[in-house]
Amino acid sequence: MISYIALSPSVPVAYLATASLAFYILLNIPQQLRNLCFPIFLVPAWRAFATAGCLTWPSSLSGVWGLAVLIWIAHIIGLLYIDKLPVQSKIRKQWDIKATYKLLFDVRHFDTNRTTSPSGAVSVSRTASLVFVASRLLRLVVYWQLTVHLFTPLIPMIFGPLEPWEFDQYAQTYLRRLPIFETPEPVTARETWIRAVFTFRWIWLNFVDVDAAHTFFSIIFVGVLRLDSPEEWPAMFGSPLESYSLRRYWGRFWHRLVYRPYVGLAKVVAGKLHVRSMGPRVEKTFLVFLIFFNSGLAHAIVSLHSGNLAEDVDDIAFYCMNFAVIAAEGVIQNLASPIRKFLPSWLCKIIGFVWVFTFWFWAAPKWAYHEVHEELLNEVERRNRIQGLRLFTGMLGGEQFR
């Protein structure tokens, strides 16, 4: 008999498959029926999110899965109820399974401007497929080795034993504790270096969580199932060399997975509030704000579902803060444009990189230090229990041989 634990990772996948089947049905029925039958998609889709806790390895997988499912739900809602795709078109016949599949997971809308039918068979040479799979497997191995042997133990490896108080709520603040403010507990050199290394480590781990999942599924769909071509799985992230402003960090380097699903929902809200009448600049700013707000809301829902009740407001505040800083950054760049004309481009980029790192140096611990603090507290509690157990068993042993 197979235990539930052995089957548990398949539970969210089964719910996702059921929701995908529901999408296939909804896509091929008239719009009026779609509105009535929407629960047949929403219920299993939400259960695919709610059962993310069944995915226990690696430890970050449940969070990545939960966020991906929420983005996917927004993508499907956009196709069915915002774009209102017809039951058939010039490039898709009704009840066309392959064409529906191409729409199903095309969250970044790569197939929007396809000139050929997406229902055609994927023609990929065996050599190209093998090269693609081999390169992606190598990437996963590199990610695994760097994460396990370098970035995960990086801070204790450099700074030695760590104490929980070094990551508590007081340690999350930095600027207010600089010596120039005559604070009772000013920041130390050790604390500054820990914060700097933590910032690099935090960016890396968040990058790897998303890109490793994307790489793994590209291997499955291109190399194993052979449903897609390598061109349909382009890089999730851009070059980090493009992130010499916070706006470019989010727009050029970080993944754009949320943009198309969230901008569709944002346009609906903007339309209801008649934001367009305020001018194109106001409308664009409002849409960007809602994209960041929706990102924070999705992270808050994941945090709330995982039991981290204190993090949900912080998640929303974090993304709204990024929007506010990007808006301020744009104003400052416009004011400084006369000066930038006299500076070489490489110097402007270096200043930009320093600014972006400084922002994350300040912001990342505010969002992530509490996780490290809880882990260290749990580790201290575990050590104390082990020491108490050893003491207790030692006392029993001593009494036994009196």
Side-chain angles (χ1 to χ4, degrees):
M1 182 177 179
I2 302 176
S3 66
Y4 173 75
I5 295 177
L7 286 175
S8 63
S10 66
V11 172
V13 177
Y15 278 123
L16 186 70
T18 304
S20 301
L21 177 61
F23 167 73
Y24 174 68
I25 296 172
L26 292 174
L27 183 64
N28 290 282
I29 61 178
Q31 191 66 42
Q32 295 81 357
L33 288 177
R34 287 180 187 174
N35 299 334
L36 294 174
C37 299
F38 182 57
I40 71 171
F41 165 79
L42 186 60
V43 171
W46 180 256
R47 291 301 301 164
F49 165 79
T51 55
C54 295
L55 304 170
T56 57
W57 188 88
S59 58
S60 60
L61 181 58
S62 61
V64 173
W65 176 274
L67 286 172
V69 170
L70 291 178
I71 296 169
W72 181 70
I73 291 174
H75 163 65
I76 298 300
I77 290 174
L79 293 179
L80 294 176
Y81 302 103
I82 299 176
D83 297 339
K84 296 182 179 179
L85 294 183
V87 295
Q88 61 180 353
S89 63
K90 294 181 179 180
I91 62 172
R92 182 180 60 82
K93 297 180 181 180
Q94 192 173 15
W95 304 108
D96 189 334
I97 295 178
K98 290 184 178 179
T100 302
Y101 159 73
K102 292 299 181 182
L103 291 169
L104 187 63
F105 297 111
D106 186 20
V107 178
R108 289 189 280 177
H109 289 216
F110 288 125
D111 288 334
T112 301
N113 299 318
R114 287 182 74 103
T115 56
T116 59
S117 173
S119 61
V122 178
S123 178
V124 184
S125 68
R126 184 174 182 84
T127 302
S129 180
L130 289 175
V131 170
F132 177 84
V133 170
S135 64
R136 295 302 175 98
L137 284 173
L138 178 61
R139 180 185 299 182
L140 288 179
V141 172
V142 171
Y143 284 168
W144 173 259
Q145 293 297 319
L146 288 177
T147 300
V148 172
H149 299 293
L150 178 59
F151 283 94
T152 298
L154 183 61
I155 294 179
M157 184 170 58
I158 296 176
F159 301 102
L162 300 168
E163 298 296 334
W165 60 264
E166 295 185 274
F167 297 89
D168 62 10
Q169 189 172 5
Y170 192 73
Q172 294 177 19
T173 61
Y174 188 86
L175 297 180
R176 287 175 290 173
R177 295 171 50 232
L178 290 173
I180 60 175
F181 296 113
E182 298 182 355
T183 178
E185 295 186 31
V187 296
T188 63
R190 173 183 168 88
E191 179 182 356
T192 301
W193 282 111
I194 289 177
R195 199 179 183 99
V197 174
F198 177 85
T199 300
F200 279 114
R201 177 182 180 272
W202 177 80
I203 293 174
W204 169 264
L205 293 180
N206 280 276
F207 163 79
V208 166
D209 282 346
V210 177
D211 202 54
H214 178 263
T215 301
F216 172 78
F217 283 111
S218 70
I219 294 172
I220 296 299
F221 284 94
V222 175
V224 179
L225 301 178
R226 299 186 63 81
L227 293 172
D228 297 330
S229 64
E231 291 76 18
E232 292 176 293
W233 286 85
M236 179 70 75
F237 291 84
S239 170
L241 298 178
E242 292 291 328
S243 55
Y244 47 87
S245 72
L246 191 60
R247 180 178 180 179
R248 295 179 69 91
Y249 176 93
W250 287 110
R252 298 293 183 88
F253 165 59
W254 206 249
H255 69 81
R256 303 272 289 174
L257 194 64
V258 304
Y259 178 77
R260 292 302 294 264
Y262 287 173
V263 77
L265 299 177
K267 287 181 177 179
V268 173
V269 176
K272 297 292 183 181
L273 298 178
H274 305 286
V275 176
R276 179 171 294 182
S277 61
M278 302 179 187
R281 179 172 295 183
V282 174
E283 181 186 21
K284 182 178 180 179
T285 303
F286 184 75
L287 293 178
V288 173
F289 166 73
L290 284 185
I291 291 172
F292 275 99
F293 179 81
N294 286 338
S295 296
L297 184 62
H299 281 81
I301 292 173
V302 172
S303 297
L304 193 64
H305 183 263
S306 61
N308 298 321
L309 303 181
E311 297 180 21
D312 49 358
V313 177
D314 291 341
D315 290 335
I316 297 176
F318 174 81
Y319 280 93
C320 290
M321 176 186 65
N322 271 269
F323 165 78
V325 173
I326 288 175
E329 180 186 74
V331 173
I332 294 173
Q333 285 178 340
N334 289 333
L335 294 175
S337 57
I339 300 176
R340 293 167 60 191
K341 294 179 181 179
F342 297 98
L343 298 176
S345 60
W346 62 266
L347 180 59
C348 292
K349 289 183 179 181
I350 291 177
I351 295 173
F353 286 126
V354 172
W355 147 243
V356 172
F357 176 77
T358 301
F359 171 78
W360 289 122
F361 175 86
W362 169 77
K366 289 182 176 294
W367 198 39
Y369 258 21
H370 65 275
E371 296 181 1
V372 182
H373 182 244
E374 291 178 0
E375 290 176 3
L376 289 174
L377 285 177
N378 292 335
E379 179 63 21
V380 170
E381 183 180 0
R382 187 185 68 83
R383 289 201 304 263
N384 291 339
R385 287 180 178 179
I386 293 175
Q387 291 175 358
L389 181 61
R390 288 175 178 171
L391 179 62
F392 179 70
T393 54
M395 291 174 62
L396 290 179
E399 293 176 357
Q400 181 178 357
F401 294 104
R402 283 180 183 176

